[in-house]
Each structure stands twice: as structure tokens, then as C-alpha cells.
């Protein structure tokens, strides 16, 4: 059994006041049990001002998470310059928190080593990995790498989390993960949740498939690089449909959802969404996550009404679940950028829709990691939720 509470402050110009505010809120909301962990989502300025070191000294329990552009929690409005934290506590659930070391040189090995050390410290069965990598400009690190490395150590373990992001979708030097008093623009922080816990996952993507362009087949890939489509060089294919010129994606195409549809082992077609990056010198189109060869691709569009409708639908599905002690909700930053002038509309809807009495934290993401069915996936343009 776990208990939880979310706290939030906006005292960005006074770190000590911000810490005192969070501490006061937590004391009123949640008596701490034997084991506790704090899940952090915040504006980069708090971290740069030394918030993590002071907060960890004040609270003493593990802290993991990272940066975001907007966040909301119980009884707190959506804000951009906020520091939010979900505190989860339990007598019979164990939280093993850590951060990788050396992800730039060998990301898989760095994650596997950190996970192995965490598992060694666990005295209860590991039920869930909550992970917080960062968004980087490294085209050789597809988002799938994070859950695949975890699965290399813990086969079949659900992996849920968000790639930390900052307020520029093209520059990532302020995208940071945090662990206790530490922070990094490269490393991944995480917490292994062990013992008597029942995680459940919800995923939704809001897109309309374009009817103007026929679905095509991916005929050659290299991990996250789409090399050929319909037997054509990827750049030439994009030119043929009017989506590229002068070796670059045309204006506005950068934010189009790329819909990847493949047939699963159960015979059911599943569609995942990929974000694209500019062409390589070879004319390949990199994606933020891996792309399967022989899958079909099509293009989607994001509309504000569909985004909000998908959010409301998935939260309604979540709300009917039994025993919800805590909820983490992460939505792709592109959903916020596509929602129009009411940029806080989705977070406001989440706050209004989540069942009364459920502690929650909701923020924006640079890439989403969540199971879909029994399999872990890396998602783009997607809202994911995990309830405990």
C-alpha cells in the first residue's frame, strides 16, 4: 500500500522560500512512512539556482525527475515557472533511486550498470522502473534505447517515464535530469519501485491521418534512420510528396506526426507516432525513436480539439480504475505547441478531470516511455499516464 501527495511552488526568485513552501505543504498533506521518494518536475532555473541540493538536505529522501516547460498538481494551477513534486511513501513498497554514469560514452552499459546496482540493493521484487532521461541532440540515441537497456537487466519489467525538456524545442542545453543533489544534461535518473504495488498504464495520441497522401512502406532502415521509402531515398520520397526542398524538411513539416503502423505478433496492427529530425547528408530522415523495416508510414496532423478530446477520453478510462493512490501524467510538448492560444488548456483539463482525491502530477515531455499492452514503447506526440 502506498500513499502520496503532490506539492508545488512558484517562488523561483527565493530558493529557501520555495523549499520552506514545499516542506510546509507536505507536512499538512502527508505523514511520511518508512520509505519515500520524490518525483520532481520543474523549470530549469530552480536547478541552476541550487534547489536540488537544498531540497535534498531538507527532506532527506531520494529525489528523481527533471525539467519541464509547464506543470500542474492538486490544488495548484498550471504554471511555467514552477517547481512541483509528487511524494510517494509506503511501509511495504521500496524505492531504489539512482542516476547513470557514463551515458555519453556507452549509454546501454551505463544504464545496465546502474540498474544492476539498484536491483542488488532491492529486497523486494521489482515491479516498475520510473525513468527520467534528457532530450539531447544526439541522433544516435533513439528513445527506445532507454527501455531496451532496462529490459536487458530486467526482462518484462514495465518502464514508464518522460524525457526532460526545456523551453526550446531546438536547443537542449537546459534539459536536465535530477537525482538527489545532482543534476545532468546527459545522464538518466530513475527509481525502481519494488514490492506491493500495482502499476497501470494509459496511452493516447491525438492525430488525424492525412487522406491527401497514400500510406507508404519503409523499405530500408538503420535503427531510427529511415533510409528508403517505397524503394526511394527518404529525401527523394519526401520531395515527391512536397514535404522537402533543398535537402531539408519544408516549413511546418518538422512538427507533423509520422505514423508508423506494423502488425504485432498477435496479428493486430498497432500504430506508434514518431517525431522527425532534419535529413542527414546521405538523405536519410532521423526519427526520435526506432522505426521497424517493412512498416507502413503515413502523416498525421494535430488539432486542438482532438488533443483535448483524447486527453479527456484517456482520463475517463483511468478514473474508473480501483484503488488509485497516485497518478503521473506526461504529455508531449508538441501537444502544447499545437493546442493554440490556450497553451495551458490540456493541463487545466487534467486538473479538472482526474478523480477527486487522487494525488497527481502532470507535466510536458520531450518524449514518452510507457507500456502499450504488454510491451514497452517509446512514444512521441503522446499523452501517457501511470497510476499506482
Amino acid at each position: 500500500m502506498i500513499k502520496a501527495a503532490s506539492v508545488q511552488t512558484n517562488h523561483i526568485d527565493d530558493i529557501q522560500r520555495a523549499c520552506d513552501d514545499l516542506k510546509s505543504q507536505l507536512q499538512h498533506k502527508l505523514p511520511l512512512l518508512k520509505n519515500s521518494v520524490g518525483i520532481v518536475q520543474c523549470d530549469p532555473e530552480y536547478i541552476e539556482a541550487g534547489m536540488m541540493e537544498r531540497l535534498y538536505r531538507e527532506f532527506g529522501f531520494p529525489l528523481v525527475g527533471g525539467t519541464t516547460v509547464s506543470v500542474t498538481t492538486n490544488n495548484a494551477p498550471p504554471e511555467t515557472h514552477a517547481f512541483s513534486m509528487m511524494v510517494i511513501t509506503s511501509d511495504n513498497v521500496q524505492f531504489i533511486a539512482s542516476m547513470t554514469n557514463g551515458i555519453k560514452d556507452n549509454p546501454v552499459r551505463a544504464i545496465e550498470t546502474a540498474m544492476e546496482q539498484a536491483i542488488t540493493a532491492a529486497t523486494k521484487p521489482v515491479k516498475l522502473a520510473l525513468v527520467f532521461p534528457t532530450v539531447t541532440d544526439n541522433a544516435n540515441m533513439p528513445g527506445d534505447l532507454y527501455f531496451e537497456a532496462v529490459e536487458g537487466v530486467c526482462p518484462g519489467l514495465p518502464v514508464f517515464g518522460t524525457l526532460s525538456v526545456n523551453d526550446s524545442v531546438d536547443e537542449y542545453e537546459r534539459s536536465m535530469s535530477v537525482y538527489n543533489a545532482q543534476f545532468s544534461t546527459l545522464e538518466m535518473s530513475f527509481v525502481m519501485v519494488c514490492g506491493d504495488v500495482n502499476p497501470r498504464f494509459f496511452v493516447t495520441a491525438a492525430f488525424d491521418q492525412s487522406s491527401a497522401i497514400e500510406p507508404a512502406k519503409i523499405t530500408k532502415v538503420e535503427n531510427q534512420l529511415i533510409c528508403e521509402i517505397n524503394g526511394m531515398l527518404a529525401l527523394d520520397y519526401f520531395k515527391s510528396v512536397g514535404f522537402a526542398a533543398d535537402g531539408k524538411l519544408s516549413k511546418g513539416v518538422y512538427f507533423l506526426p509520422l505514423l508508423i503502423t506494423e502488425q504485432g505478433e498477435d496479428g493486430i496492427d498497432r500504430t506508434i507516432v514518431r517525431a522527425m529530425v532534419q535529413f542527414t547528408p546521405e538523405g536519410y530522415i532521423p526519427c526520435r525513436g526506432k522505426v521497424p523495416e517493412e512498416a507502413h508510414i503515413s502523416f498525421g496532423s494535430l488539432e486542438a480539439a482532438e488533443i483535448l478530446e483524447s486527453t479527456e477520453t484517456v482520463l475517463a478510462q483511468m478514473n474508473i480504475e480501483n484503488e488509485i493512490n497516485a497518478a503521473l501524467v506526461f504529455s508531449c510538448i508538441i501537444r502544447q505547441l499545437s493546442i493554440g492560444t490556450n497553451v495551458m488548456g490540456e493541463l487545466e483539463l487534467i486538473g479538472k478531470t482526474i478523480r477527486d482525491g487522487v494525488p497527481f502530477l502532470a507535466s510536458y515531455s520531450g518524449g514518452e516511455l510507457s507500456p502499450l499492452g504488454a510491451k514497452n514503447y517509446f512514444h512521441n506526440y503522446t499523452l501517457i499516464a501511470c497510476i499506482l
Side-chain angles (χ1 to χ4, degrees), residues 103 106-113 145 149:
I103 214 165
N106 191 332
V108 173
R109 185 57 189 154
I111 295 170
E112 289 180 342
T113 299
L145 178 148

Side-chain angles (χ1 to χ4, degrees), residues 108-256:
V108 173
R109 185 57 189 154
I111 295 170
E112 289 180 342
T113 299
M115 288 287 167
E116 288 166 352
Q117 292 172 349
I119 291 170
T120 300
T123 59
K124 298 176 181 292
V126 181
K127 298 291 186 66
L128 170 67
L130 295 173
V131 299
F132 302 92
T134 65
V135 171
T136 72
D137 57 4
N138 188 344
N140 295 315
M141 288 183 63
D144 310 70
L145 178 148
Y146 299 107
F147 74 76
E148 289 175 350
V150 175
E151 291 176 337
V153 178
C154 302
L157 183 71
V159 179
F160 182 89
T162 171
L163 271 65
S164 302
V165 71
N166 55 271
D167 59 4
S168 171
V169 295
D170 296 319
E171 299 176 4
Y172 309 109
E173 70 275 5
R174 299 182 79 211
S175 168
M176 293 176 274
S177 64
V178 299
Y179 166 59
N180 294 345
Q182 305 173 41
F183 64 91
S184 173
T185 58
L186 292 173
E187 303 297 338
M188 180 185 86
S189 63
F190 65 92
V191 57
M192 307 292 268
V193 183
C194 317
D196 184 19
V197 64
N198 177 29
R200 286 143 289 166
F201 309 98
F202 303 83
V203 177
T204 186
F207 52 79
D208 287 326
Q209 183 170 316
S210 172
S211 59
I213 300 173
E214 290 292 325
K217 180 179 282 190
I218 301 171
T219 47
K220 182 181 177 182
V221 299
E222 294 178 6
N223 288 324
Q224 79 277 25
L225 294 174
I226 300 178
C227 306
E228 293 181 3
I229 302 171
N230 285 351
M232 303 168 60
L233 183 68
L235 176 58
D236 292 338
Y237 171 79
F238 274 75
K239 286 181 179 177
S240 73
V241 296
F243 283 174
D246 301 322
K248 294 183 179 181
L249 289 170
S250 301
K251 186 177 181 181
V253 177
Y254 183 82
F255 294 114
L256 281 182

Side-chain angles (χ1 to χ4, degrees), residues 1-125:
M1 177 68 177
I2 67 169
K3 295 184 178 181
S6 57
V7 293
Q8 182 168 315
T9 188
N10 59 5
H11 298 303
I12 198 166
D13 296 322
D14 189 335
I15 295 302
Q16 186 58 56
R17 185 180 177 189
C19 289
D20 292 343
D21 187 13
L22 295 173
K23 190 172 183 179
S24 175
Q25 291 179 47
L26 188 61
Q27 287 174 340
H28 283 90
K29 289 184 174 184
L30 186 68
L32 295 182
L33 303 176
K34 180 181 177 181
N35 307 310
S36 300
V37 67
I39 309 298
V40 170
Q41 292 285 280
C42 67
D43 183 280
E45 190 169 331
Y46 288 92
I47 298 172
E48 294 162 349
M51 179 77 164
M52 294 310 302
E53 181 178 1
R54 194 166 301 186
L55 196 67
Y56 182 57
R57 187 169 64 242
E58 292 278 351
F59 285 103
F61 51 72
L63 306 172
V64 297
T67 55
T68 189
V69 294
S70 303
V71 65
T72 189
T73 59
N74 301 83
N75 305 316
E79 294 186 79
T80 53
H81 302 299
F83 188 106
S84 297
M85 182 169 62
M86 165 77 75
V87 178
I88 307 171
T89 190
S90 178
D91 284 329
N92 57 6
V93 176
Q94 189 178 21
F95 308 103
I96 309 296
S98 189
M99 178 180 272
T100 60
N101 181 22
I103 214 165
K104 181 179 180 180
D105 298 325
N106 191 332
V108 173
R109 185 57 189 154
I111 295 170
E112 289 180 342
T113 299
M115 288 287 167
E116 288 166 352
Q117 292 172 349
I119 291 170
T120 300
T123 59
K124 298 176 181 292

